[in-house]
């Protein structure tokens, strides 16, 4: 897994239209794992694919209470 760079405003890539996800394969599974690791590293509860430069309608989220 890898920590991905997170894009922040006003990066113009965040205004691009993302493509829908039509199938979940190994490539998207790896992206999900990398995004989860990135989200936890940034102390977040959610992360959208465009925030890491991937223009897909995809996100990871963890709203469990922190112990």
């Amino acid at each position: 897994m890898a920590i991905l760079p997170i894009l922040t405003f006003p990066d113009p890539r965040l205004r691009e239209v993302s493509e829908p996800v039509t199938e979940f394969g190994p490539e998207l599974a790896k992206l999900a794992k990398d995004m989860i690791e990135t989200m936890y590293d940034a102390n977040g509860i959610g992360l959208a694919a465009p925030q890491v430069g991937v223009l897909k309608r995809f996100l990871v989220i963890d709203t469990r209470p922190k112990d």
Side-chain angles (χ1 to χ4, degrees):
M1 292 191 289
I3 303 292
L4 305 171
I6 298 175
L7 305 178
T8 57
F9 182 80
D11 192 301
R13 293 173 286 181
L14 294 173
R15 295 189 181 269
E16 296 288 323
V17 176
S18 295
E19 297 293 324
V21 172
T22 56
E23 68 178 67
F24 191 94
E27 185 177 307
L28 201 57
K30 181 184 180 327
L31 175 63
K33 289 177 183 177
D34 290 345
M35 287 176 59
I36 289 169
E37 185 174 0
T38 301
M39 176 185 72
Y40 288 144
D41 184 68
N43 201 29
I45 63 166
L47 186 66
Q51 290 176 284
V52 293
V54 178
L55 294 179
K56 296 214 179 261
R57 295 179 192 167
F58 183 75
L59 64 92
V60 295
I61 189 167
D62 182 355
T63 58
R64 293 178 291 177
K66 294 187 180 192
D67 294 334

